[in-house]
Amino acid sequence: MVNCLLAGIPVAFDNRFDELEALCRGYETDLPPAFRISVSAAELEEERKQQPGEFSDGYLETVCCYRKAAMALLDRDAFVLHASVVALDGEGYGFLAPSGVGKTTQTRLWQQHFGQRLRVINGDKPLIRMESGGFRADGTPWQGKENLGCNASVPLKTLFLLNRSDTPGAAPAGQEQVVERLFRQLLLPREPERMVRLLNLADRLVSTVLFYELNCDMTETSVLCAYQAAKGGASK
């Protein structure tokens, strides 16, 4: 069994394989769990059908565990966002884009530019949770293939919608564009009640967090454009 803290909530995993224990190292907690997660043999086989390539049962269990935990965490106002989130001077900045567009590249460029001032909260699938007055981004053990992240939490200030471009620039994103792009990056539940809850959380996120469209290249000019736009933007 692994008992770890996700978005401030203790979650117990009744795992059968060692991979989950190794993955969650550094996120353990002694707090009594709010709920328990287990994965059946049938669920592992269903996951295997969805995953291209050959993967061990242990790896598939880690994937299933996070998905099931994410659905349960929705009931506590937290959800998974396919994004990379960094913390800079106590504020969170996130990059949203489909796989391969440049989330990791931008994250690396911000690391290069800001150095020790910056921490990567999660490079792939952070948990976003609503709190009084706004949202926080929380690191989790599930950090993507680059393994970028840490066990930390930061108030979420700005989300950037990434577009590849030879001419870097940042501008406020329109609400219709924000909604369309945001929902492509959400882990959607099957249960109607949880879908309604996620829609309400997403609506609150759109009205609370600053969204910018970022045309980015592979240079630090993109970093400066993004950061200057976010610092100059008015709070919602």
Side-chain angles (χ1 to χ4, degrees):
M1 185 190 80
V2 180
N3 196 24
C4 66
L5 208 60
L6 299 177
I9 300 165
V11 181
F13 295 101
D14 294 317
N15 57 301
R16 294 186 290 158
F17 303 98
D18 294 339
E19 282 87 340
L20 189 70
E21 293 182 16
L23 181 70
C24 293
R25 196 164 293 131
Y27 290 78
E28 302 94 340
T29 180
D30 293 327
L31 295 173
F35 55 87
R36 308 184 75 87
I37 298 292
S38 62
V39 177
S40 68
E43 288 172 323
L44 282 182
E45 289 309 308
E46 184 60 30
E47 186 64 37
R48 194 185 310 280
K49 295 175 184 177
Q50 306 301 319
Q51 294 278 354
E54 297 293 328
F55 296 101
S56 69
D57 286 349
Y59 170 78
L60 295 175
E61 184 181 53
T62 67
V63 175
C64 288
C65 280
Y66 195 35
R67 183 180 297 114
K68 294 184 75 170
M71 296 302 102
L73 287 167
L74 260 177
D75 301 334
R76 293 163 173 80
D77 292 334
F79 59 94
V80 172
L81 183 63
H82 186 203
S84 179
V85 175
V86 301
L88 178 65
D89 300 334
E91 297 180 318
Y93 301 86
F95 311 111
L96 274 70
S99 296
V101 170
K103 295 188 302 295
T104 301
T105 298
Q106 288 306 305
T107 301
R108 297 288 194 192
L109 288 171
W110 279 57
Q111 286 182 302
Q112 179 178 314
H113 184 80
F114 292 108
Q116 295 185 354
R117 288 173 58 192
L118 183 134
R119 286 192 299 172
V120 180
I121 299 299
N122 189 287
D124 190 44
K125 294 182 178 68
L127 281 165
I128 309 299
R129 61 181 163 109
M130 186 172 68
E131 61 174 10
S132 177
F135 286 83
R136 297 190 72 87
D138 290 86
T140 78
W142 289 266
Q143 300 172 354
K145 61 184 179 181
E146 293 85 8
N147 199 33
L148 295 172
C150 64
N151 187 0
S153 177
V154 67
L156 188 59
K157 173 184 174 64
T158 306
L159 287 169
F160 296 102
L161 311 178
L162 302 186
N163 304 306
R164 285 183 176 175
S165 175
D166 294 330
T167 308
Q175 186 167 2
E176 183 175 343
Q177 180 189 29
V178 168
V179 171
E180 178 185 356
R181 297 277 295 274
L182 176 64
F183 275 88
R184 295 179 188 175
Q185 310 305 322
L186 294 173
L187 181 60
L188 302 178
R190 296 178 179 178
E191 305 89 345
E193 297 83 0
R194 282 176 171 163
M195 178 62 81
V196 170
R197 194 174 192 95
L198 179 60
L199 291 174
N200 289 334
L201 287 168
D203 183 67
R204 178 72 71 87
L205 182 75
V206 170
S207 63
T208 303
V209 173
L210 297 171
F211 281 82
Y212 284 86
E213 185 174 8
L214 176 61
N215 294 328
C216 55
D217 59 11
M218 299 181 68
T219 73
E220 291 187 48
T221 303
S222 297
V223 178
L224 295 174
C225 289
Y227 182 68
Q228 290 169 2
K231 295 303 289 185
S235 300
K236 289 192 177 183

